Amino acid sequence: MDPFLQRRQTESVLQMLIYDMRPLSMVDSAGFQQMIAQFNPDYILPSRTHFTHLMEQKYSTMFLKVKEILKEVSSSLTLTCDVWTSRATEAYLGVSCHFITKDWQMKTLNLPTLPLEERHTAANIMLWMEEVIEKFDILPSKIKAIVHDNGSNMVAAARLLEEKHGWFSVRCAGHTLQLIVNSTLKEPSINKATGAARNLVEHFRRSELANSKLKKQQQMNTAEHKLIQDVNTRWNSTYYMMERLLEQRWPVTATLSDPEVTPRGKHYCDLKPEQWVLLEELVQGLGPFECATIFLSGQEYATASCLPQLVKGLQRSIQQTQFETSAGKAFRAIAGKGISERLENLNTVSAERDNPLVLAAAINPRFRKMKFISPEDGTRVQSTIEVLAIIEAKAETGIHDDPELQLKRRGNVSGGKSALDNLLQSDTDSRSEEEEETQ
């Protein structure tokens, strides 16, 4: 076979292993070798050792490329870190880097995934993070923030890094929403209802007879959708389970009433009427949280500037949702308390220390009037932004002048539909075009 074609096909196999995250042992499997031989009998599949060597070379090349990319970045950087455990119960630290390119494109680079053999203390995590930026030649002063989960060791490590390097600590909003919703699902009545729903779904998934009967019932003007089983680590899977179960309520109930499916004297799996009512309220109450979670999971747009308004939107949705059952009212109380305790600080404004999330929201045209904070705080934030803008302009043009003096010359500015639109109500929603032009 031509050496050039041999190298190209070997490179294709290597790329497949990398992109699909397949183990290198795959090239030794008989089935894979037979498939490759069928595609091209003339191609000689290299050994696992050869692919290991090629992958190491690929890593070295990409490592140098990433360092070069980071070296040319003129904007500030943000790091995201997470300590996680593999299925083999091996601990790792994953770190990624985010920045804006010169043509205003968001970029994310995955930095190392470090195996952790020592205790995951705050001091150790701080040292590991410093080792990462040193390995990639990143200056600490170039990093503005670090995003992390709500684990006590991660929070403490972020605090140490903030004290030492001035990195702003940002708790992952998606993880925070997970904790808030999990606390509501632990309420006894809610937990009992979701547990009953889980058992009902599991009954249909295990019983071939019940599942076949359900398909026949679905033909009666109901979408032929499978029931969804939730998982413990994802609260929104419980939301999807309840939503699908409500969609299939009457086919499910009709199937369970069939004597062949539920013989007399056997345990009746259907939910109680009050539990069906509660599921409807929970789906209605959890809808905004699911919408917020999907929005925060986006990778091609910035979400930090939307967090202050998102918090207000969640608080508003909780208060406006109608709950008739006592368990539903408990959901509202627990969720409202969780938002206040875990997310309320996102909207705080202090004279001693800037809040980057509020500043980001203030320069987002959609929220520039900052209705999520008081008018007094809004005036203070706008003044801070103007000072920062003047400092930045001075640095670019070389003009030397007092930012406060320039503000006095210009005069201070006065403080002020989809499910996602309801959460992120823009500042123009309640103003006329004439008022907007005046402002």
Side-chain angles (χ1 to χ4, degrees):
M1 185 176 181
D2 182 81
F4 175 73
L5 293 178
Q6 174 76 21
R7 288 195 301 271
R8 283 192 60 182
Q9 296 202 21
T10 299
E11 178 67 19
S12 297
V13 174
L14 177 65
Q15 291 296 97
M16 182 273 295
L17 294 173
I18 295 174
Y19 289 154
D20 294 343
M21 300 183 69
R22 300 298 182 184
L24 288 168
S25 59
M26 185 175 183
V27 299
D28 290 336
S29 63
F32 185 77
Q33 292 177 352
Q34 290 177 5
M35 180 187 68
I36 294 298
Q38 183 69 27
F39 288 161
N40 190 345
D42 297 330
Y43 173 63
I44 302 175
L45 183 66
S47 65
R48 175 179 175 178
T49 302
H50 183 72
F51 277 106
T52 301
H53 178 68
L54 292 178
M55 189 168 290
E56 291 173 348
Q57 287 183 331
K58 176 75 71 173
Y59 172 81
S60 299
T61 302
M62 291 302 299
F63 174 71
L64 295 176
K65 183 177 180 180
V66 169
K67 288 180 63 175
E68 189 65 27
I69 292 174
L70 293 175
K71 183 179 179 180
E72 296 177 356
V73 173
S74 58
S75 66
S76 300
L77 305 176
T78 297
L79 299 181
T80 298
C81 63
D82 182 34
V83 175
W84 55 279
T85 304
S86 69
R87 293 182 178 179
T89 64
E90 297 172 335
Y92 295 90
L93 171 66
V95 181
S96 57
C97 178
H98 319 274
F99 57 91
I100 303 293
T101 63
K102 293 180 180 179
D103 56 351
W104 291 93
Q105 296 295 317
M106 287 185 60
K107 294 293 182 182
T108 295
L109 297 175
N110 291 324
L111 303 185
T113 300
L114 302 176
L116 306 181
E117 299 178 353
E118 300 180 31
R119 293 183 59 200
H120 308 161
T121 63
N124 284 340
I125 294 175
M126 181 185 71
L127 292 176
W128 294 330
M129 292 298 298
E130 291 178 331
E131 290 175 3
V132 169
I133 65 172
E134 181 180 359
K135 181 178 181 179
F136 284 85
D137 297 334
I138 302 175
L139 295 176
S141 58
K142 201 171 185 178
I143 299 172
K144 291 300 181 182
I146 177 172
V147 182
H148 54 87
D149 61 23
N150 291 267
S152 57
N153 55 347
M154 294 298 299
V155 173
R159 187 180 302 114
L160 293 175
L161 290 168
E162 185 175 14
E163 294 173 354
K164 184 175 182 179
H165 301 296
W167 303 353
F168 184 72
S169 171
V170 180
R171 302 193 187 194
C172 175
H175 185 256
T176 303
L177 289 181
Q178 169 100 6
L179 296 177
I180 293 173
V181 174
N182 283 347
S183 64
T184 66
L185 297 179
K186 291 179 181 178
E187 198 277 334
S189 299
I190 295 177
N191 186 47
K192 186 176 180 179
T194 55
R198 190 175 299 113
N199 292 335
L200 177 56
V201 173
E202 187 175 358
H203 171 71
F204 277 90
R205 292 175 66 89
R206 288 185 175 183
S207 174
E208 183 178 349
L209 175 61
N211 196 39
S212 62
K213 292 283 186 179
L214 177 61
K215 290 181 179 179
K216 293 181 179 179
Q217 292 292 338
Q218 288 175 333
Q219 296 175 0
M220 301 170 60
N221 300 323
T222 306
E224 295 186 23
H225 294 156
K226 292 183 178 180
L227 299 181
I228 299 175
Q229 184 74 68
D230 66 342
V231 294
N232 294 331
T233 55
R234 295 291 183 269
W235 75 262
N236 49 357
S237 67
T238 303
Y239 169 81
Y240 298 140
M241 178 187 70
M242 295 187 295
E243 187 180 44
R244 179 60 54 80
L245 199 54
L246 287 169
E247 177 195 81
Q248 301 293 327
R249 175 180 178 178
W250 300 119
V252 165
T253 302
T255 302
L256 291 175
S257 65
D258 190 330
E260 293 184 27
V261 177
T262 310
R264 184 173 299 178
K266 295 290 185 178
H267 176 66
Y268 191 62
C269 296
D270 197 5
L271 303 181
K272 298 178 181 178
E274 59 270 21
Q275 290 179 326
W276 283 110
V277 174
L278 177 57
L279 291 190
E280 291 179 350
E281 292 187 347
L282 290 176
V283 168
Q284 185 180 10
L286 290 174
F289 288 90
E290 190 269 344
C291 179
T293 300
I294 295 298
F295 171 73
L296 292 172
S297 301
Q299 298 184 17
E300 298 180 355
Y301 51 85
T303 57
S305 64
C306 299
L307 283 176
Q309 184 65 29
L310 194 67
V311 172
K312 286 293 184 182
L314 287 174
Q315 290 174 325
R316 183 176 59 252
S317 69
I318 287 296
Q319 296 301 321
Q320 293 178 350
T321 302
Q322 297 296 323
F323 296 101
E324 301 296 336
T325 65
S326 58
K329 294 177 181 178
F331 168 86
R332 176 167 55 194
I334 297 172
K337 181 181 179 182
I339 294 174
S340 298
E341 293 180 349
R342 295 184 179 274
L343 294 173
E344 191 67 27
N345 62 340
L346 295 181
N347 297 354
T348 57
V349 176
S350 172
E352 295 78 22
R353 182 173 178 271
D354 293 333
N355 185 336
L357 296 178
V358 174
L359 294 179
I363 61 176
N364 185 328
R366 190 171 188 178
F367 316 119
R368 63 186 182 278
K369 295 181 180 62
M370 296 173 286
K371 294 182 179 180
F372 48 84
I373 56 179
S374 66
E376 295 77 13
D377 287 339
T379 301
R380 183 183 298 113
V381 171
Q382 288 186 340
S383 298
T384 301
I385 290 175
E386 293 199 19
V387 170
L388 294 174
I390 292 171
I391 293 175
E392 184 69 20
K394 181 182 66 175
E396 291 184 357
T397 60
I399 298 176
H400 299 283
D401 201 351
D402 184 8
E404 296 293 342
L405 180 60
Q406 293 192 34
L407 279 179
K408 292 179 180 179
R409 292 172 184 168
R410 296 173 56 186
N412 289 334
V413 180
S414 60
K417 280 236 188 185
S418 64
L420 182 61
D421 290 332
N422 290 331
L423 286 177
L424 301 178
Q425 289 185 359
S426 68
D427 290 336
T428 61
D429 287 346
S430 60
R431 288 182 178 269
S432 65
E433 294 183 2
E434 184 175 331
E435 289 176 311
E436 285 301 310
E437 291 184 5
T438 302
Q439 288 296 328

